[in-house]
């Protein structure tokens, strides 16, 4: 048994561990852990207090995948609900669909009685406003937001999101990812989080992987799937992650500061690897023999050899 994820998953991992320790499924464990991070008001990259799009609307993305069946649920650009990960999981059984976005996702969340919430907080509003002030950008109107989006977006902020992967007592693996996405994004923008294969993938025959970082890159590289595919092809989990980062390198423009990609993954036997293009990055883990979850260093894998410190997490 093990539960692990991005460093910001740390506050949720002990509750997830308790679920698998008492015999609940990996799906229950990853959902439990991610819900705690979605409620964490200190984290402005996930759930409540997540930073808004260019119009000031918080749009949440999430996905969950059961490695045993490869069943999955994904939700994109969800407005006004506290727990997108639970909405994504509910979709798995409510409909024969795997992804709902925007108005359809909102209507579905309403129909299943998901918890509504005003996601903005005083702190997240102020952080969001501060960038308009700093760059002297006017608040755009809907339908006239391209110029403001391009002025406000910063690659330094395309690094947040929570990843959690668990292997339960039966050896079943599940993965969950949740995010408020890229702050000041154009309304309706989806990153890799809800795109199965890009930001999240679990296949119990080989392992699981989840990503944080510049989602436009991991969508183009199908990064989470490529980690799992590399394991299928015979590499160990660490090499599978390293190759998946290097596969993105030709698309990672060295001229863009703060372009990042980070991956957590495990093999079918629960061997964990975590890599990042960010020097000094960590991941969080709880496993047998630990009395609480802790952070450990990731392997630094730069996009380009010779690349030094390229950003913050
Ligand atoms: N991957 C996320 C996205 O592209 C962002 C992040 O990890 O911060 O929406």
């Amino acid at each position: 048994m093990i539960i692990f994820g991005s460093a910001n998953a740390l506050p949720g991992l002990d509750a997830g561990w308790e679920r698998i320790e008492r015999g609940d499924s990996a799906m229950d464990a990853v959902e439990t852990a991610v819900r705690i991070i979605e409620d964490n008001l200190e984290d402005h990259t996930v759930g409540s207090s997540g930073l808004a799009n260019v119009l000031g609307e918080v749009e949440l993305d999430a996905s969950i995948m059961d490695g045993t069946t490869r069943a999955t649920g994904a939700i994109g650009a969800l407005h006004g609900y506290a727990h997108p990960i639970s909405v994504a999981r509910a979709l798995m059984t409510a409909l024969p669909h795997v992804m709902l976005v925007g108005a359809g996702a909102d209507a579905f969340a309403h129909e299943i009685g998901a918890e509504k919430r005003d996601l903005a907080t005083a702190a997240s509003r102020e952080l969001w406003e501060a960038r308009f002030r700093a760059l002297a950008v006017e608040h755009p109107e809907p339908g006239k937001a391209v110029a403001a989006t391009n002025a406000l977006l910063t690659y330094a902020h395309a690094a947040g999101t929570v990843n959690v992967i668990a292997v339960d007592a039966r050896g079943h693996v599940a993965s969950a990812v949740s995010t408020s996405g890229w702050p000041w994004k154009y309304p309706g923008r989806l990153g890799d989080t809800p795109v199965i294969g890009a930001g999240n993938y679990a296949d119990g025959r080989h392992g699981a992987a989840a990503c944080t970082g510049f989602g436009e890159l991991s969508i183009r590289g199908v990064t989470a799937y490529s980690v799992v595919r590399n394991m299928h092809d015979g590499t160990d989990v660490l090499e599978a992650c390293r190759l998946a980062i290097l596969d993105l390198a030709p698309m990672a423009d060295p001229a863009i500061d703060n372009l990042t990609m980070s991956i957590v993954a495990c093999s079918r036997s629960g061997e964990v690897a975590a890599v990042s293009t960010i020097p000094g990055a960590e991941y969080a883990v709880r496993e047998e023999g630990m009395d609480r979850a802790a952070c450990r260093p990731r392997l630094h894998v730069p996009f380009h050899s010779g690349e030094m410190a390229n950003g913050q997490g």
Side-chain angles (χ1 to χ4, degrees):
M1 289 188 299
I2 191 165
I3 186 164
F4 65 99
S6 47
N8 61 342
L10 184 70
L13 292 191
D14 288 326
W17 174 260
E18 281 165 25
R19 302 273 330 234
I20 44 177
E21 207 175 29
R22 66 172 186 250
D24 293 337
S25 68
M27 288 288 283
D28 291 333
V30 295
E31 182 186 5
T32 295
V34 166
R35 284 175 64 95
I36 290 168
I37 309 311
E38 289 174 340
D39 283 338
N40 181 4
L41 300 185
E42 305 295 310
D43 191 328
H44 297 297
T45 70
V46 182
S48 295
S49 86
L51 291 179
N53 70 19
V54 73
L55 298 180
E57 302 158 338
V58 183
E59 291 188 318
L60 302 180
D61 304 334
S63 66
I64 186 164
M65 188 159 186
D66 182 344
T68 308
T69 56
R70 283 185 283 167
T72 183
I75 291 292
L78 179 73
H79 304 91
Y81 289 88
H83 293 297
I85 198 67
S86 297
V87 178
R89 189 171 182 189
L91 176 60
M92 294 173 68
T93 47
L95 286 165
H97 306 325
V98 297
M99 185 189 279
L100 289 176
V101 301
D106 296 347
F108 174 74
H110 178 75
E111 194 170 333
I112 62 166
E115 184 188 343
K116 288 197 162 76
R117 190 174 296 169
D118 179 1
L119 299 164
T121 61
S124 66
R125 274 199 200 92
E126 174 49 28
L127 274 171
W128 180 83
E129 282 286 359
R131 190 156 174 83
F132 280 86
R133 282 199 304 273
L135 298 174
V137 173
E138 297 283 327
H139 291 280
E141 289 171 31
K144 292 186 179 167
V146 169
T149 304
N150 279 321
L152 292 160
L153 283 178
T154 159
Y155 291 87
H157 274 85
T161 303
V162 66
N163 298 160
V164 179
I165 297 175
V167 181
D168 65 25
R170 287 175 296 281
H172 294 167
V173 65
S175 53
V177 183
S178 184
T179 190
S180 51
W182 197 354
W184 305 282
K185 63 193 171 187
Y186 196 88
R189 177 264 184 188
L190 300 182
D192 56 337
T193 296
V195 178
I196 291 302
N200 188 3
Y201 200 73
D203 179 343
R205 298 171 302 174
H206 313 298
C211 305
T212 58
F214 184 37
E216 279 73 359
L217 211 50
S218 39
I219 290 173
R220 293 163 67 200
V222 204
T223 299
Y225 176 76
S226 80
V227 172
V228 174
R229 182 73 203 184
N230 290 339
M231 288 190 277
H232 164 271
D233 291 345
T235 67
D236 67 37
V237 61
L238 186 61
E239 182 65 0
C241 292
R242 200 182 67 84
L243 292 175
I245 296 269
L246 296 181
D247 180 58
L248 301 177
M251 298 184 284
D253 184 347
I256 301 178
D257 280 345
N258 296 309
L259 204 57
T260 70
M261 186 54 55
S262 301
I263 305 172
V264 290
C266 68
S267 67
R268 57 184 276 185
S269 55
E271 187 197 355
V272 169
V275 303
S276 180
T277 61
I278 306 168
E282 297 187 312
Y283 72 104
V285 61
R286 173 88 187 258
E287 62 184 334
E288 232 61 80
M290 297 172 76
D291 55 11
R292 71 176 70 90
C295 284
R296 292 179 183 160
R298 293 182 190 242
L299 178 72
H300 178 218
V301 181
F303 285 129
H304 306 286
S305 56
E307 192 173 88
M308 291 307 289
N310 68 342
Q312 69 242 357

